[in-house]
Amino acid sequence: MIELIKQPWHWAVAGILIGLTVPTLLLLGNKIFGISSSLRHICAACFPADIKYFMYNWKKEAWNLFFVVGVLLGGIIASQFLSNPNEFVVNENTVKDLKVLGVTDFSAMMPSDIFSVENIFTLKGLIFFVIGGLMVGFGTRYAGGCTSGHAIMGLSNLQLPSLIATISFMVGGFAMTHLIMPFIFKLF
Amino acid sequence: MSKTNIDNTAVEEFVCEAPNNQVKKESLASNLKYLIVGTIFGIVFVKAEIISWFRIQEMFRLQSFHMYGVIGTAVVVGLTSVQLIKRFNIKTLAGETVSIPNKTFDKGQIYGGLIFGLGWAITGACPGPLFAQIGSGFLAISITFASAVVGTWLYGAFQNKLPH
C-alpha cells in the first residue's frame, strides 16, 4: 500500500480529493474554500499599517491560516515519508522546449537551474522569486481569488465572475510562457 | 423588543473572498480540523506533483493533460457536492445552513487575473502550492512567498487607485 502511495498520483485521484475539499470545508464549519485570502490575513495580522483593506477581525478567519500551515506540513510529510523512489518524469516535448530556453536540470519537481537558494540574490532570483511572487500576491487579491477560490470554489458554485477570472489566469499564463519567457531566458 | 437605530453608513462591511460563514463562535482549538484538512491537501499537492514548475509548464504548453485533469475533476466533484448540499439542504456540523456568497463581477477579475496568470507561469505556483513547495524543502520559494505577501499588501495599499 505504502509503495502505491509513494508513486506519483493520477490526476483523477488528485482531482477528486481536491474537489472534496470544497464540501469538507463547507460542512465542517461553513468555510469557503480559497487559499490566497491567507496572504491577506497575514498582512492584516502582521502589518495592517492602518490600511482599510487590512482593518478587519482576521482572527475570525484564522481557520484559513490553520489550513495553509497544514498545507506546509503536508509538503513536509509527503517529501519526507512518501517521496517517489523513481525518476521524475517530464513530458519529452516540454523537456525539448525548455532545453532550448536553457533549462538543464529535469531531475526534480523544481529545476535547480532556477529554484535554488544560490539564485536568491541574482537576476534570476529577482525575476522568478521576487517579481513572480509579487504578481501572484497582487494579482490574486486584485482578482479576488486564485485557482482555489475562483477556478475550483467559484466554478463549483457556477459563478460567472470566477469563470472570467479563470480564463484570465490561463491567458496570462499562456502569454508568459509563449511570449515573455523566451525573452526572460535570454537575460541569463 | 423595540427596534434600535443602527447607523449603517458608519459600518464598512468587510468582504472576504474565502470567508468563515459560521455564525456559532469557534474556539481556537477547533481550527485544528482545518489544519488536518490542509495537511491532506498539501500531501495531494506534492504527490500529484501539482507543486512542480514543470507540470505548470506542461499545462501552458498544452503538452500534458495532467493539470487539466486535476482541475477539471476537482470542479466536477466540487460542483456535484455543492449542488447536493443545496438540493438536500445538508447542514454543517454545527447545524447551520451552508451559505456560499455570490461573487460580483468587477474588472479586477480580468486585470488581476492576467497579472496572476503571468506570475503563475513564472513561479510555477499558485498560493496553495507555494506553501507545499516550501514544506517540500524548496527553501528558495520562501522568497517567492514573502514577495506574494508584499504583493498582497501593495494591492491593499493601492486598491482605491486601481480600476475595478
Side-chain angles (χ1 to χ4, degrees):
Chain A
M1 183 68 185
I2 193 83
E3 290 314 308
L4 189 68
I5 291 175
K6 284 186 170 186
Q7 302 298 317
W9 295 3
H10 192 270
W11 52 261
V13 176
I16 290 168
L17 291 172
I18 293 172
L20 287 176
T21 308
V22 171
T24 304
L25 292 175
L26 286 173
L27 297 178
L28 276 179
N30 240 334
K31 307 291 186 281
I32 312 300
F33 183 42
I35 296 181
S36 60
S37 290
S38 64
L39 302 173
R40 181 180 177 187
H41 304 327
I42 291 169
C43 291
C46 303
F47 22 83
D50 278 335
I51 296 167
K52 222 173 77 187
Y53 190 68
F54 299 121
M55 307 303 276
Y56 60 91
N57 179 19
W58 60 271
K59 285 179 186 152
K60 185 175 179 252
E61 311 298 329
W63 73 274
N64 203 310
L65 297 171
F66 278 82
F67 186 86
V68 294
V69 170
V71 177
L72 185 90
L73 280 178
I76 296 173
I77 293 169
S79 61
Q80 293 298 312
F81 306 109
L82 305 170
S83 72
N84 177 15
N86 306 317
E87 207 177 328
F88 180 70
V89 184
V90 182
N91 178 284
E92 55 184 75
N93 292 319
T94 312
V95 172
K96 217 183 287 168
D97 287 357
L98 292 174
K99 273 187 176 164
V100 172
L101 292 180
V103 177
T104 59
D105 174 30
F106 296 88
S107 64
M109 285 203 255
M110 309 288 280
S112 60
D113 311 66
I114 304 166
F115 298 96
S116 59
V117 177
E118 293 80 58
N119 279 340
I120 289 177
F121 295 105
T122 65
L123 184 62
K124 264 186 193 170
L126 178 71
I127 295 170
F128 284 89
F129 308 152
V130 179
I131 297 175
L134 283 171
M135 288 200 285
V136 169
F138 186 88
T140 51
R141 214 64 273 119
Y142 196 174
C146 59
T147 333
S148 56
H150 274 312
I152 295 171
M153 181 72 231
L155 292 185
S156 291
N157 196 29
L158 300 170
Q159 299 293 302
L160 182 63
S162 293
L163 181 64
I164 294 168
T166 305
I167 292 169
S168 305
F169 301 163
M170 296 307 291
V171 170
F174 281 112
M176 174 54 72
T177 304
H178 296 279
L179 306 177
I180 307 174
M181 223 177 232
F183 291 98
I184 292 179
F185 274 95
K186 277 187 188 141
L187 299 171
F188 315 120
Chain B
M1 229 164 95
S2 65
K3 268 189 183 171
T4 44
N5 283 322
I6 300 168
D7 183 13
N8 283 318
T9 53
V11 185
E12 186 74 41
E13 206 195 335
F14 158 64
V15 181
C16 178
E17 283 94 3
N20 169 15
N21 280 342
Q22 175 154 320
V23 180
K24 199 169 154 232
K25 272 211 147 201
E26 283 172 295
S27 66
L28 201 64
S30 73
N31 281 312
L32 288 174
K33 298 193 284 279
Y34 309 108
L35 184 94
I36 294 165
V37 180
T39 305
I40 297 168
F41 198 77
I43 293 173
V44 176
F45 270 174
V46 177
K47 289 314 300 171
E49 300 176 337
I50 296 160
I51 65 163
S52 169
W53 184 78
F54 291 115
R55 293 286 168 267
I56 306 301
Q57 279 295 303
E58 288 171 348
M59 169 174 73
F60 287 129
R61 292 173 188 279
L62 300 174
Q63 287 161 337
S64 161
F65 180 72
H66 187 80
M67 287 304 300
Y68 295 98
V70 170
I71 298 174
T73 310
V75 171
V76 170
V77 172
L79 181 66
T80 312
S81 317
V82 169
Q83 297 313 313
L84 288 174
I85 288 173
K86 285 182 176 173
R87 179 78 51 89
F88 297 103
N89 194 14
I90 302 171
K91 300 278 195 278
T92 70
L93 275 187
E96 296 176 5
T97 301
V98 170
S99 66
I100 312 173
N102 285 326
K103 312 220 184 244
T104 40
F105 174 76
D106 69 59
K107 291 190 209 89
Q109 279 133 17
I110 298 172
Y111 302 138
L114 288 172
I115 296 169
F116 164 53
L118 294 168
W120 187 11
I122 299 187
T123 60
C126 7
L130 274 183
F131 294 94
Q133 285 172 345
I134 298 170
S136 298
F138 297 103
L139 297 180
I141 308 302
S142 41
I143 306 298
T144 316
F145 167 72
S147 305
V149 174
V150 174
T152 303
W153 190 89
L154 288 173
Y155 172 74
F158 295 104
Q159 187 195 19
N160 298 332
K161 298 188 176 70
L162 296 165
H164 276 94

